[in-house]
Amino acid sequence: MNLTLKRLLGAAAAVATGATALLGTGAGIADARSERAHCDRAERPIWSEGPSRNVTGFGCSIPDQEHRWYKVDIDTLVQPHNKTDYVDGGVERTGTLHDRTIRCLGYTRDRNKVNWFGCVPR
């Protein structure tokens, strides 16, 4: 069999497998909506390459069940736009967004704040 044809068939099989996996994970979306996390306020720094993958949330409620991805509803999302890619580089401006939903891979909890990590930039 021609090498190009093998690659084309392999790519088609990969796409078909990925589509099946996505359809399978979408089955529980109706139940997942009631299982969303919620934060009153959150901060997500914006660097030169875009938004940070880490978000710090305050006043958060997190459902008991563990998920592969967490959907987090945020009332007020503050986004400081940093001048440089260094923490001590200063803030150029700050933007505020309301009623946003983000997806994150996991979290750690520390007293009155939740550190979300692996958040997908939007």
mmCIF file of all heavy atoms in Angstrom, residues 25-55:
data_model
loop_
_atom_site.group_PDB
_atom_site.id
_atom_site.type_symbol
_atom_site.label_atom_id
_atom_site.label_comp_id
_atom_site.label_asym_id
_atom_site.label_seq_id
_atom_site.Cartn_x
_atom_site.Cartn_y
_atom_site.Cartn_z
ATOM 1 N N THR A 25 -17.909 11.839 26.043
ATOM 2 C CA THR A 25 -17.752 12.705 27.211
ATOM 3 C C THR A 25 -18.875 13.715 27.311
ATOM 4 O O THR A 25 -19.133 14.245 28.375
ATOM 5 C CB THR A 25 -16.408 13.454 27.167
ATOM 6 O OG1 THR A 25 -16.354 14.214 25.962
ATOM 7 C CG2 THR A 25 -15.243 12.514 27.251
ATOM 8 N N GLY A 26 -19.568 13.991 26.214
ATOM 9 C CA GLY A 26 -20.653 14.966 26.252
ATOM 10 C C GLY A 26 -21.940 14.412 26.823
ATOM 11 O O GLY A 26 -22.891 15.141 27.026
ATOM 12 N N ALA A 27 -21.983 13.131 27.101
ATOM 13 C CA ALA A 27 -23.220 12.508 27.563
ATOM 14 C C ALA A 27 -23.668 13.019 28.925
ATOM 15 O O ALA A 27 -24.848 13.107 29.194
ATOM 16 C CB ALA A 27 -23.048 10.998 27.602
ATOM 17 N N GLY A 28 -22.744 13.366 29.797
ATOM 18 C CA GLY A 28 -23.121 13.784 31.147
ATOM 19 C C GLY A 28 -23.180 15.277 31.358
ATOM 20 O O GLY A 28 -23.113 15.749 32.477
ATOM 21 N N ILE A 29 -23.338 16.064 30.301
ATOM 22 C CA ILE A 29 -23.301 17.516 30.433
ATOM 23 C C ILE A 29 -24.495 18.040 31.216
ATOM 24 O O ILE A 29 -24.357 18.975 31.982
ATOM 25 C CB ILE A 29 -23.205 18.179 29.052
ATOM 26 C CG1 ILE A 29 -21.875 17.834 28.462
ATOM 27 C CG2 ILE A 29 -23.462 19.662 29.115
ATOM 28 C CD1 ILE A 29 -21.217 18.798 27.583
ATOM 29 N N ALA A 30 -25.673 17.455 31.048
ATOM 30 C CA ALA A 30 -26.848 17.944 31.761
ATOM 31 C C ALA A 30 -26.655 17.844 33.267
ATOM 32 O O ALA A 30 -27.010 18.750 34.010
ATOM 33 C CB ALA A 30 -28.080 17.158 31.323
ATOM 34 N N ASP A 31 -26.079 16.747 33.739
ATOM 35 C CA ASP A 31 -25.837 16.591 35.165
ATOM 36 C C ASP A 31 -24.686 17.472 35.635
ATOM 37 O O ASP A 31 -24.669 17.925 36.774
ATOM 38 C CB ASP A 31 -25.509 15.137 35.483
ATOM 39 C CG ASP A 31 -26.698 14.237 35.260
ATOM 40 O OD1 ASP A 31 -27.835 14.689 35.483
ATOM 41 O OD2 ASP A 31 -26.481 13.084 34.859
ATOM 42 N N ALA A 32 -23.720 17.744 34.777
ATOM 43 C CA ALA A 32 -22.545 18.515 35.168
ATOM 44 C C ALA A 32 -22.884 19.979 35.419
ATOM 45 O O ALA A 32 -22.206 20.648 36.175
ATOM 46 C CB ALA A 32 -21.463 18.414 34.101
ATOM 47 N N ARG A 33 -23.941 20.501 34.802
ATOM 48 C CA ARG A 33 -24.291 21.903 34.991
ATOM 49 C C ARG A 33 -24.637 22.187 36.459
ATOM 50 O O ARG A 33 -24.319 23.239 36.971
ATOM 51 C CB ARG A 33 -25.450 22.298 34.088
ATOM 52 C CG ARG A 33 -25.041 22.351 32.644
ATOM 53 C CD ARG A 33 -26.109 23.040 31.821
ATOM 54 N NE ARG A 33 -25.799 22.941 30.410
ATOM 55 C CZ ARG A 33 -25.037 23.785 29.746
ATOM 56 N NH1 ARG A 33 -24.485 24.782 30.380
ATOM 57 N NH2 ARG A 33 -24.827 23.633 28.466
ATOM 58 N N SER A 34 -25.300 21.252 37.122
ATOM 59 C CA SER A 34 -25.634 21.458 38.526
ATOM 60 C C SER A 34 -24.429 21.225 39.426
ATOM 61 O O SER A 34 -24.454 21.562 40.583
ATOM 62 C CB SER A 34 -26.784 20.533 38.926
ATOM 63 O OG SER A 34 -26.365 19.198 38.786
ATOM 64 N N GLU A 35 -23.368 20.651 38.876
ATOM 65 C CA GLU A 35 -22.169 20.340 39.641
ATOM 66 C C GLU A 35 -21.047 21.354 39.412
ATOM 67 O O GLU A 35 -19.894 21.057 39.639
ATOM 68 C CB GLU A 35 -21.672 18.942 39.268
ATOM 69 C CG GLU A 35 -22.630 17.847 39.620
ATOM 70 C CD GLU A 35 -22.752 17.640 41.116
ATOM 71 O OE1 GLU A 35 -21.788 17.918 41.842
ATOM 72 O OE2 GLU A 35 -23.819 17.222 41.556
ATOM 73 N N ARG A 36 -21.359 22.531 38.932
ATOM 74 C CA ARG A 36 -20.341 23.533 38.665
ATOM 75 C C ARG A 36 -19.839 24.172 39.954
ATOM 76 O O ARG A 36 -20.575 24.284 40.919
ATOM 77 C CB ARG A 36 -20.887 24.643 37.773
ATOM 78 C CG ARG A 36 -21.126 24.208 36.367
ATOM 79 C CD ARG A 36 -21.588 25.367 35.555
ATOM 80 N NE ARG A 36 -21.696 24.978 34.158
ATOM 81 C CZ ARG A 36 -21.877 25.830 33.180
ATOM 82 N NH1 ARG A 36 -21.980 27.107 33.413
ATOM 83 N NH2 ARG A 36 -21.965 25.402 31.951
ATOM 84 N N ALA A 37 -18.598 24.582 39.904
ATOM 85 C CA ALA A 37 -18.046 25.363 41.006
ATOM 86 C C ALA A 37 -18.441 26.823 40.787
ATOM 87 O O ALA A 37 -18.782 27.227 39.674
ATOM 88 C CB ALA A 37 -16.532 25.211 41.029
ATOM 89 N N HIS A 38 -18.387 27.610 41.851
ATOM 90 C CA HIS A 38 -18.751 29.025 41.757
ATOM 91 C C HIS A 38 -17.811 29.848 42.620
ATOM 92 O O HIS A 38 -17.499 29.464 43.749
ATOM 93 C CB HIS A 38 -20.197 29.235 42.222
ATOM 94 C CG HIS A 38 -20.591 30.671 42.234
ATOM 95 N ND1 HIS A 38 -20.446 31.453 43.348
ATOM 96 C CD2 HIS A 38 -21.075 31.469 41.253
ATOM 97 C CE1 HIS A 38 -20.853 32.678 43.059
ATOM 98 N NE2 HIS A 38 -21.236 32.708 41.807
ATOM 99 N N CYS A 39 -17.345 30.975 42.082
ATOM 100 C CA CYS A 39 -16.518 31.917 42.849
ATOM 101 C C CYS A 39 -17.130 33.303 42.728
ATOM 102 O O CYS A 39 -17.530 33.726 41.638
ATOM 103 C CB CYS A 39 -15.081 31.952 42.321
ATOM 104 S SG CYS A 39 -14.161 30.429 42.597
ATOM 105 N N ASP A 40 -17.195 34.017 43.864
ATOM 106 C CA ASP A 40 -17.702 35.387 43.845
ATOM 107 C C ASP A 40 -16.759 36.304 43.076
ATOM 108 O O ASP A 40 -17.188 37.150 42.307
ATOM 109 C CB ASP A 40 -17.874 35.923 45.269
ATOM 110 C CG ASP A 40 -18.943 35.148 46.027
ATOM 111 O OD1 ASP A 40 -19.883 34.646 45.389
ATOM 112 O OD2 ASP A 40 -18.829 35.047 47.260
ATOM 113 N N ARG A 41 -15.453 36.127 43.304
ATOM 114 C CA ARG A 41 -14.444 36.994 42.687
ATOM 115 C C ARG A 41 -13.218 36.152 42.352
ATOM 116 O O ARG A 41 -12.885 35.230 43.086
ATOM 117 C CB ARG A 41 -14.068 38.103 43.667
ATOM 118 C CG ARG A 41 -13.063 39.088 43.147
ATOM 119 C CD ARG A 41 -12.825 40.194 44.198
ATOM 120 N NE ARG A 41 -11.807 41.095 43.770
ATOM 121 C CZ ARG A 41 -10.493 40.887 43.898
ATOM 122 N NH1 ARG A 41 -10.063 39.777 44.451
ATOM 123 N NH2 ARG A 41 -9.626 41.765 43.479
ATOM 124 N N ALA A 42 -12.551 36.482 41.258
ATOM 125 C CA ALA A 42 -11.336 35.762 40.877
ATOM 126 C C ALA A 42 -10.374 36.712 40.176
ATOM 127 O O ALA A 42 -10.785 37.742 39.631
ATOM 128 C CB ALA A 42 -11.674 34.586 39.969
ATOM 129 N N GLU A 43 -9.087 36.359 40.219
ATOM 130 C CA GLU A 43 -8.045 37.139 39.546
ATOM 131 C C GLU A 43 -7.286 36.229 38.597
ATOM 132 O O GLU A 43 -6.900 35.121 38.971
ATOM 133 C CB GLU A 43 -7.077 37.731 40.565
ATOM 134 C CG GLU A 43 -7.707 38.748 41.478
ATOM 135 C CD GLU A 43 -6.739 39.262 42.522
ATOM 136 O OE1 GLU A 43 -5.553 38.887 42.485
ATOM 137 O OE2 GLU A 43 -7.178 40.031 43.384
ATOM 138 N N ARG A 44 -7.069 36.731 37.370
ATOM 139 C CA ARG A 44 -6.318 35.981 36.362
ATOM 140 C C ARG A 44 -5.377 36.952 35.652
ATOM 141 O O ARG A 44 -5.812 37.781 34.858
ATOM 142 C CB ARG A 44 -7.268 35.363 35.353
ATOM 143 C CG ARG A 44 -6.552 34.576 34.275
ATOM 144 C CD ARG A 44 -7.533 34.072 33.254
ATOM 145 N NE ARG A 44 -7.146 32.742 32.837
ATOM 146 C CZ ARG A 44 -7.863 31.980 32.060
ATOM 147 N NH1 ARG A 44 -9.017 32.391 31.619
ATOM 148 N NH2 ARG A 44 -7.434 30.786 31.718
ATOM 149 N N PRO A 45 -4.070 36.866 35.932
ATOM 150 C CA PRO A 45 -3.132 37.787 35.281
ATOM 151 C C PRO A 45 -3.040 37.554 33.773
ATOM 152 O O PRO A 45 -3.168 36.431 33.301
ATOM 153 C CB PRO A 45 -1.787 37.492 35.949
ATOM 154 C CG PRO A 45 -1.997 36.364 36.871
ATOM 155 C CD PRO A 45 -3.417 35.955 36.845
ATOM 156 N N ILE A 46 -2.814 38.643 33.054
ATOM 157 C CA ILE A 46 -2.603 38.590 31.611
ATOM 158 C C ILE A 46 -1.136 38.927 31.350
ATOM 159 O O ILE A 46 -0.652 39.984 31.738
ATOM 160 C CB ILE A 46 -3.501 39.598 30.857
ATOM 161 C CG1 ILE A 46 -4.975 39.399 31.226
ATOM 162 C CG2 ILE A 46 -3.285 39.502 29.353
ATOM 163 C CD1 ILE A 46 -5.572 38.101 30.767
ATOM 164 N N TRP A 47 -0.429 38.000 30.703
ATOM 165 C CA TRP A 47 0.990 38.191 30.389
ATOM 166 C C TRP A 47 1.133 38.555 28.915
ATOM 167 O O TRP A 47 0.149 38.656 28.197
ATOM 168 C CB TRP A 47 1.766 36.916 30.714
ATOM 169 C CG TRP A 47 1.585 36.475 32.128
ATOM 170 C CD1 TRP A 47 0.768 35.491 32.580
ATOM 171 C CD2 TRP A 47 2.191 37.038 33.296
ATOM 172 N NE1 TRP A 47 0.842 35.390 33.946
ATOM 173 C CE2 TRP A 47 1.712 36.334 34.411
ATOM 174 C CE3 TRP A 47 3.100 38.069 33.502
ATOM 175 C CZ2 TRP A 47 2.105 36.620 35.707
ATOM 176 C CZ3 TRP A 47 3.494 38.357 34.792
ATOM 177 C CH2 TRP A 47 3.000 37.635 35.878
ATOM 178 N N SER A 48 2.358 38.712 28.441
ATOM 179 C CA SER A 48 2.576 39.102 27.043
ATOM 180 C C SER A 48 2.062 38.046 26.071
ATOM 181 O O SER A 48 1.638 38.368 24.963
ATOM 182 C CB SER A 48 4.063 39.364 26.788
ATOM 183 O OG SER A 48 4.804 38.170 26.942
ATOM 184 N N GLU A 49 2.065 36.790 26.459
ATOM 185 C CA GLU A 49 1.606 35.720 25.584
ATOM 186 C C GLU A 49 0.133 35.368 25.789
ATOM 187 O O GLU A 49 -0.359 34.414 25.214
ATOM 188 C CB GLU A 49 2.463 34.480 25.781
ATOM 189 C CG GLU A 49 3.895 34.676 25.344
ATOM 190 C CD GLU A 49 4.725 33.418 25.492
ATOM 191 O OE1 GLU A 49 4.165 32.358 25.826
ATOM 192 O OE2 GLU A 49 5.933 33.507 25.275
ATOM 193 N N GLY A 50 -0.562 36.094 26.635
ATOM 194 C CA GLY A 50 -1.980 35.841 26.856
ATOM 195 C C GLY A 50 -2.288 35.575 28.315
ATOM 196 O O GLY A 50 -1.455 35.774 29.196
ATOM 197 N N PRO A 51 -3.520 35.105 28.585
ATOM 198 C CA PRO A 51 -3.941 34.884 29.960
ATOM 199 C C PRO A 51 -3.179 33.755 30.641
ATOM 200 O O PRO A 51 -2.775 32.788 30.000
ATOM 201 C CB PRO A 51 -5.418 34.544 29.848
ATOM 202 C CG PRO A 51 -5.690 34.299 28.432
ATOM 203 C CD PRO A 51 -4.563 34.822 27.627
ATOM 204 N N SER A 52 -3.002 33.902 31.938
ATOM 205 C CA SER A 52 -2.350 32.874 32.731
ATOM 206 C C SER A 52 -3.218 31.627 32.771
ATOM 207 O O SER A 52 -4.441 31.696 32.637
ATOM 208 C CB SER A 52 -2.129 33.389 34.156
ATOM 209 O OG SER A 52 -1.634 32.375 34.985
ATOM 210 N N ARG A 53 -2.604 30.476 32.978
ATOM 211 C CA ARG A 53 -3.351 29.218 33.122
ATOM 212 C C ARG A 53 -3.775 29.006 34.571
ATOM 213 O O ARG A 53 -4.411 28.024 34.891
ATOM 214 C CB ARG A 53 -2.513 28.026 32.678
ATOM 215 C CG ARG A 53 -2.038 27.952 31.241
ATOM 216 C CD ARG A 53 -2.957 28.534 30.230
ATOM 217 N NE ARG A 53 -2.544 28.251 28.862
ATOM 218 C CZ ARG A 53 -2.111 29.169 28.022
ATOM 219 N NH1 ARG A 53 -2.001 30.420 28.405
ATOM 220 N NH2 ARG A 53 -1.813 28.850 26.786
ATOM 221 N N ASN A 54 -3.403 29.944 35.450
ATOM 222 C CA ASN A 54 -3.756 29.867 36.864
ATOM 223 C C ASN A 54 -4.713 31.001 37.221
ATOM 224 O O ASN A 54 -4.531 32.129 36.777
ATOM 225 C CB ASN A 54 -2.509 29.958 37.737
ATOM 226 C CG ASN A 54 -1.551 28.834 37.457
ATOM 227 O OD1 ASN A 54 -1.955 27.699 37.234
ATOM 228 N ND2 ASN A 54 -0.271 29.130 37.455
ATOM 229 N N VAL A 55 -5.712 30.673 38.029
ATOM 230 C CA VAL A 55 -6.705 31.652 38.462
ATOM 231 C C VAL A 55 -6.847 31.521 39.972
ATOM 232 O O VAL A 55 -6.942 30.418 40.499
ATOM 233 C CB VAL A 55 -8.071 31.398 37.773
ATOM 234 C CG1 VAL A 55 -9.129 32.340 38.296
ATOM 235 C CG2 VAL A 55 -7.936 31.512 36.268
#
